[in-house]
Amino acid sequence: MADLKTVIADLPVFDRHFWDGTFRFTRIGTGALGGKASGLAFAKDLLAEAIDAFAFPGIDVNIPTMAVIATDCFDEFIARNRLGELRVEELADDHIGHAFQQADLPVELLGDLRALIEQVKTPLAIRSSSLLEDALNRPFAGVYGTKMIPNNQFDSDTRFRRLTEAIKFVYASTYFREARDYIKTTGRDPSEEKMAVIIQEVVGRRHGDRFYPDLSGVARSYNFYPTGPALPEEGVASLALGLGKTIVDGGMSWTFSPAYPKKPPPFGSVQEMLRGTQTEFWAVNMGKPPAYDPVSETEYLVTASLKEAEADDALRFLASTFDPARDRVVPGLGAHGPRILDFAPLLVLEQFPINHLIKALLTTAEHGLGANVEIEFAVTIQESRDEPTRARLGFLQVRPMVVSEQIVNVSVEDLSDPNAILASDMVMGNGIAEDIQDIVFVRPEHFSPMQTPVIAQQLDLINQQLSEQHRPFLLIGFGRWGSSHPSLGIPVVWSQISGARAIVEATLPEMNVELSQGSHFFHNLSSFRTSYFMVRHDGGFAIDWEWLNRQPIVQETEFVRHVRPTGTLTVRVDGRSRRGVVLSVGRTQADEKET
């Protein structure tokens, strides 16, 4: 296997025959390709050499056809339009986006883009691939923009305009607030960043006014919080109907260990499983054009329900049915009753060896990169009366994970330490933090799922203040951090909690959701060595809310309180045992003095 530099150097130059099948991966420009595109260039040859087609009959595995606009085009775009002079720190993201939309792409690039769009009339994903993105030990997963366009307009002029708008949007996302704040936390200067852009076919099929894959997935070779018999090194995978945005934004998906694909997640009842199943999905809008909004990432995306997916005949290989008469869940759609997206036809009945392929891809990527990895993929399943059913897996991304090897011992006894203000046997990360003096927590007595967007804004202001003061903090909230669905948790982006050194996801009876495995948000947390705790209200460990509420208040809002204890805080996370504890030294003595 050639090294990465050789692989990139050997990539063919775009010759204006994008879709004729000659080359699946070409480049435009002479600059760098960025982290995401470089990873796919490496994976292209890796898949060809390591994945045996005969071992997976009926499944085609490939990198979706793509062209990469190298970073020299970005440099030209910024320089010729004097966009580097924008005072981005004083501008909202939408103002930055509109400034980029009014700028002109380099004329040298326009000819290639025009040739490409004349040939292609199917949906395209315009994806970021920055120099800093997905770099080893500092992955920038999900920080920059991706825009999908239907590309189905009759005239090529309209398709060309939509393509150039999407490229400018990705360029603009380099300067959006979340990206700037994220870069600063790495100690790098945002001005160092450069952006390459991937133009790639969207894996999927058209169903009327929607275009989407049968399933999308994210898999990791290391599982930070396995359940049952699963081991951390056996990995974890999450699957969802439709575009992968559902998973990476922290929505409902089906999570399992590839070592035990037939073992269901730890739901307490069928009713709990019904509440925890995916109920809607993302697709590319192929119908009536939406309101013009070139600075919106979801301009050409729509959501749809499971009922609509079933009408599209898209659930045959994905769903089971709850049969109330027999009080059991039956794989497939043969029974009458509510559908559950548990992917049992694939994982239990093995109608396609998808799970075996996921394990092979993880092993191949892990050996190739020499590190734990995260991969993204999309699958379509094509049925035909005259030919055997076939599946296609489009390999979308590979990035290294960060798994600390520091030895930290947290015993079962430590979880009951009298100085513990919270403890958990479901933690992510590894290490010790002794520089935390502040705690920011969502007030449980005032929490409401209806108010999670407001809570996100209040946390944002406190995070800004503490970050400016260089004060790392412990953050405690309810539901899934970073969920795009407010009913599942608090919809923050990284920049709104970037100063947190350790974060806690707690549950309440009215906010009782599954773990946040599989999202870009948590991949980024692990990359910055930010510890993560999961503390269930009905579990064996509790948060000491009484102690928290006795601490000196620095500031508070209706939903959020910021306290600064007088004692020293220590966060200890044992990544091997998945145990963690937050200690307040002198806590018990202070309590005795109060008494």
Side-chain angles (χ1 to χ4, degrees), residues 225 410-411 414-416 420-428 504-505 515 532-536 540-543 572-574 577-582:
Y225 23 79
V410 178
S411 66
D414 291 333
L415 300 182
S416 301
I421 63 173
L422 67 89
S424 174
D425 56 3
M426 291 186 291
V427 300
M428 184 176 85
V504 179
E505 269 189 356
L515 300 174
Y532 159 77
F533 291 69
M534 177 69 183
V535 183
R536 299 194 61 85
F541 307 98
I543 297 171
R572 297 178 59 85
V573 174
D574 181 348
S577 68
R578 306 184 300 280
R579 292 190 286 262
V581 62
V582 179

Side-chain angles (χ1 to χ4, degrees), residues 441-578:
F441 62 92
V442 179
R443 302 169 66 182
E445 70 274 14
H446 290 178
F447 177 78
S448 167
M450 300 294 291
Q451 298 297 329
T452 53
V454 177
I455 294 171
Q457 294 303 317
Q458 294 178 356
L459 289 170
D460 183 15
L461 293 175
I462 295 175
N463 177 73
Q464 287 184 51
Q465 295 167 9
L466 289 173
S467 296
E468 290 172 358
Q469 298 167 21
H470 303 289
R471 301 185 69 93
F473 59 92
L474 168 67
L475 176 64
I476 305 172
F478 303 106
R480 299 179 179 180
W481 288 111
S483 174
S484 62
H485 203 304
S487 67
L488 298 179
I490 302 173
V492 292
V493 295
W494 169 256
S495 64
Q496 293 175 307
I497 62 168
S498 58
R501 182 64 52 83
I503 71 169
V504 179
E505 269 189 356
T507 64
L508 292 170
E510 64 271 28
M511 179 58 80
N512 189 15
V513 298
E514 291 303 311
L515 300 174
S516 299
Q517 188 76 268
S519 70
H520 279 157
F521 189 89
F522 279 84
H523 182 78
N524 290 330
L525 286 175
S526 67
S527 75
F528 281 97
R529 309 297 203 276
T530 301
S531 302
Y532 159 77
F533 291 69
M534 177 69 183
V535 183
R536 299 194 61 85
H537 71 281
D538 53 0
F541 307 98
I543 297 171
D544 193 339
W545 294 109
E546 290 186 10
W547 180 86
L548 284 170
N549 285 320
R550 289 199 303 269
Q551 302 313 299
I553 297 174
V554 178
Q555 58 182 315
E556 70 176 349
T557 67
E558 181 183 358
F559 301 110
V560 179
R561 179 172 290 164
H562 169 203
V563 300
R564 186 169 294 156
T566 54
T568 302
L569 292 175
T570 300
V571 178
R572 297 178 59 85
V573 174
D574 181 348
R576 298 170 302 160
S577 68
R578 306 184 300 280

Side-chain angles (χ1 to χ4, degrees), residues 204-342:
R205 293 185 292 146
R206 183 166 183 172
H207 303 273
D209 287 343
R210 294 181 292 273
F211 187 101
Y212 57 94
D214 291 274
L215 66 97
S216 294
V218 173
R220 294 173 169 177
S221 62
Y222 190 91
N223 184 1
F224 283 104
Y225 23 79
T227 58
L231 300 174
E233 57 270 20
E234 289 174 323
V236 63
S238 296
L239 302 179
L241 164 68
L243 299 174
K245 183 175 176 61
T246 297
I247 301 174
V248 300
D249 282 359
M252 292 286 192
S253 60
W254 187 259
T255 299
F256 63 97
S257 168
Y260 301 94
K262 300 180 182 182
K263 186 176 179 61
F267 290 111
S269 64
V270 173
Q271 286 69 31
E272 190 175 324
M273 185 182 294
L274 286 167
R275 290 194 298 270
T277 190
Q278 183 183 356
T279 57
E280 60 181 20
F281 65 98
W282 286 96
V284 180
N285 177 18
M286 306 294 286
K288 182 180 177 181
Y292 181 67
D293 191 359
V295 299
S296 169
E297 187 172 52
T298 59
E299 181 181 10
Y300 298 108
L301 299 185
V302 293
T303 57
S305 66
L306 290 192
K307 184 176 180 180
E308 291 170 295
E310 186 163 0
D312 292 340
D313 196 25
L315 298 185
R316 185 175 306 182
F317 294 94
L318 314 183
S320 292
T321 303
F322 172 54
D323 186 346
R326 292 185 289 172
D327 192 29
R328 59 176 295 189
V329 177
V330 183
L333 306 177
H336 293 288
R339 307 306 189 193
I340 297 175
L341 278 184
D342 61 357

Side-chain angles (χ1 to χ4, degrees), residues 41-352:
F42 188 71
K44 174 179 66 69
D45 289 354
L46 197 66
L47 293 177
E49 293 182 11
I51 299 300
D52 184 359
F54 294 102
F56 303 100
I59 303 181
D60 301 314
V61 183
N62 52 52
I63 305 290
T65 303
M66 58 186 284
V68 183
I69 304 173
T71 56
D72 58 307
C73 297
F74 172 79
D75 290 338
E76 288 293 328
F77 176 71
I78 298 298
R80 294 183 187 182
N81 293 284
R82 304 179 67 176
L83 292 169
E85 299 175 12
L86 283 177
R87 304 179 71 173
V88 294
E89 296 286 350
E90 302 174 6
L91 297 176
D93 287 352
D94 59 339
H95 291 159
I96 296 171
H98 283 298
F100 273 64
Q101 290 298 327
Q102 293 168 8
D104 295 320
L105 290 174
V107 66
E108 300 90 336
L109 176 61
L110 296 180
D112 285 337
L113 296 180
R114 187 77 193 200
L116 185 155
I117 214 66
E118 291 283 358
Q119 303 171 50
V120 186
K121 299 180 182 179
T122 56
L124 293 172
I126 316 305
R127 309 171 64 195
S128 64
S129 182
S130 80
L131 286 185
L132 300 181
E133 188 176 23
D134 298 342
L136 187 61
N137 297 324
R138 279 293 182 263
F140 275 47
V143 172
Y144 299 113
T146 290
K147 190 150 188 173
M148 294 189 179
I149 56 176
N151 196 40
N152 65 333
Q153 294 87 356
F154 178 76
D155 63 298
S156 58
D157 287 344
T158 302
R159 300 201 308 275
F160 178 71
R161 283 196 300 272
R162 299 298 175 259
L163 173 61
T164 58
E165 288 167 357
I167 293 169
K168 293 175 186 178
F169 168 78
V170 174
Y171 279 165
S173 71
T174 314
Y175 295 90
F176 287 170
R177 180 188 159 192
E178 182 180 1
R180 299 196 313 269
D181 289 350
Y182 201 100
I183 293 172
K184 289 176 183 176
T185 63
T186 70
R188 307 289 285 269
D189 186 336
S191 65
E192 298 176 35
E193 184 63 293
K194 298 179 185 294
M195 183 65 70
V197 174
I198 297 171
I199 304 173
Q200 190 170 43
E201 64 165 316
V202 177
V203 176
R205 293 185 292 146
R206 183 166 183 172
H207 303 273
D209 287 343
R210 294 181 292 273
F211 187 101
Y212 57 94
D214 291 274
L215 66 97
S216 294
V218 173
R220 294 173 169 177
S221 62
Y222 190 91
N223 184 1
F224 283 104
Y225 23 79
T227 58
L231 300 174
E233 57 270 20
E234 289 174 323
V236 63
S238 296
L239 302 179
L241 164 68
L243 299 174
K245 183 175 176 61
T246 297
I247 301 174
V248 300
D249 282 359
M252 292 286 192
S253 60
W254 187 259
T255 299
F256 63 97
S257 168
Y260 301 94
K262 300 180 182 182
K263 186 176 179 61
F267 290 111
S269 64
V270 173
Q271 286 69 31
E272 190 175 324
M273 185 182 294
L274 286 167
R275 290 194 298 270
T277 190
Q278 183 183 356
T279 57
E280 60 181 20
F281 65 98
W282 286 96
V284 180
N285 177 18
M286 306 294 286
K288 182 180 177 181
Y292 181 67
D293 191 359
V295 299
S296 169
E297 187 172 52
T298 59
E299 181 181 10
Y300 298 108
L301 299 185
V302 293
T303 57
S305 66
L306 290 192
K307 184 176 180 180
E308 291 170 295
E310 186 163 0
D312 292 340
D313 196 25
L315 298 185
R316 185 175 306 182
F317 294 94
L318 314 183
S320 292
T321 303
F322 172 54
D323 186 346
R326 292 185 289 172
D327 192 29
R328 59 176 295 189
V329 177
V330 183
L333 306 177
H336 293 288
R339 307 306 189 193
I340 297 175
L341 278 184
D342 61 357
F343 301 86
L346 298 176
L347 301 179
V348 178
L349 303 181
E350 297 185 351
Q351 294 178 346
F352 274 96

